[in-house]
Amino acid sequence: MKMTKLINCLFLGILGTTYACNSVTQSNKEAVEVGPTDNAAKAIIDTPSASSPSVELPKEKPEEILVEYQDSVDFQRYNVDSKKVTERAPIDWTSYPEAKDFKTRITEAYQTNEADFAGYYVMSVFGCGASCIMGFMIDIRDGKIYDLPLGEENSCLFAEDRAMGNRKSRLFIAGVCKENPEDRKVYYKAYVWDEIKKEFEKVEAAAFLKKT
């Protein structure tokens, strides 16, 4: 009887071992079948088409700073105490016969503008070619015409501002200029009106620029 139980145990052990081996083999087969799917998925992720494209953002342009050059000019240093003129005189063309070549422009400015320089003068400024402006001023008290210090001799290739005047000042800025467009520094072409001599005299920037 003992021998029979021993044989049965051995037989059951052999069957158990065989079943276990078959189960492991079956499990191994399932693991192998999943493998290629994993590899394929990894291959898709690694391809360049799946990576995020690099985009170069546009560079921001520096903001341009607008400079008001009149703010740095001390017009009050050449202040004019003018009296009110109730009736302006007609233009005296005999005082400057050559100005008749620009009669339309001068007449239009004189009829429409208020006195805008040195208390009693109406300015008429207009272009005379590339980078060139010219002009005259008319005295409302007697209608006489005078040259403004403009034209080619007072022009500059890179002008920041031009023909800056003030109704209450004798200072006239013909041009605010640069040597090159990239320059940060400017230089001035400036004049002061001599009411007694009736002429413009040059003045250096140190005489009219505000202290900073």
Side-chain angles (χ1 to χ4, degrees):
M1 179 66 66
K2 291 182 179 180
M3 182 61 68
T4 302
K5 287 184 178 180
L6 180 60
I7 292 171
N8 288 337
C9 288
L10 291 173
F11 178 74
L12 291 174
I14 293 171
L15 288 177
T17 303
T18 303
Y19 177 78
C21 290
N22 289 337
S23 297
V24 172
T25 303
Q26 185 67 24
S27 299
N28 289 340
K29 285 183 180 179
E30 290 177 358
V32 171
E33 288 175 358
V34 175
T37 304
D38 292 340
N39 292 336
K42 184 176 180 181
I44 293 175
I45 294 174
D46 290 342
T47 54
S49 60
S51 60
S52 300
S54 59
V55 179
E56 184 176 354
L57 297 177
K59 296 180 180 179
E60 295 183 0
K61 294 182 179 180
E63 294 183 2
E64 295 184 359
I65 301 175
L66 183 62
V67 179
E68 294 289 346
Y69 290 98
Q70 291 202 29
D71 294 341
S72 60
V73 176
D74 188 2
F75 285 100
Q76 293 184 354
R77 192 171 299 182
Y78 301 93
N79 186 59
V80 172
D81 292 325
S82 58
K83 297 179 181 180
K84 185 176 181 179
V85 178
T86 57
E87 184 178 354
R88 65 178 61 186
I91 299 176
D92 182 6
W93 296 103
T94 62
S95 66
Y96 199 143
E98 294 83 356
K100 286 186 177 181
D101 293 338
F102 310 97
K103 188 173 183 178
T104 301
R105 293 183 180 274
I106 294 174
T107 302
E108 182 180 356
Y110 191 64
Q111 291 177 347
T112 58
N113 298 344
E114 297 295 328
D116 51 6
F117 178 71
Y120 300 104
Y121 299 88
V122 175
M123 295 190 297
S124 175
V125 179
F126 44 89
C128 57
S131 301
C132 175
I133 59 174
M134 63 179 298
F136 302 89
M137 64 182 193
I138 310 97
D139 192 334
I140 63 175
R141 296 167 296 185
D142 56 17
K144 290 185 178 181
I145 306 169
Y146 301 92
D147 259 326
L148 285 171
L150 296 170
E152 292 184 2
E153 66 272 18
N154 284 296
S155 65
C156 48
L157 188 58
F158 304 107
E160 294 292 292
D161 208 339
R162 296 184 288 185
M164 294 163 51
N166 189 294
R167 183 176 65 86
K168 296 182 178 181
S169 177
R170 295 183 294 112
L171 177 65
F172 181 79
I173 309 297
V176 183
C177 309
K178 286 183 176 182
E179 293 289 349
N180 297 289
E182 297 83 9
D183 288 350
R184 297 180 64 87
K185 292 184 179 180
V186 298
Y187 63 94
Y188 295 79
K189 294 189 176 185
Y191 296 82
V192 172
W193 175 249
D194 188 323
E195 181 63 25
I196 297 175
K197 295 180 180 179
K198 298 292 184 181
E199 62 183 30
F200 283 98
E201 298 177 349
K202 286 186 177 182
V203 61
E204 297 298 326
F208 59 80
L209 288 181
K210 295 178 180 178
K211 304 295 183 181
T212 56

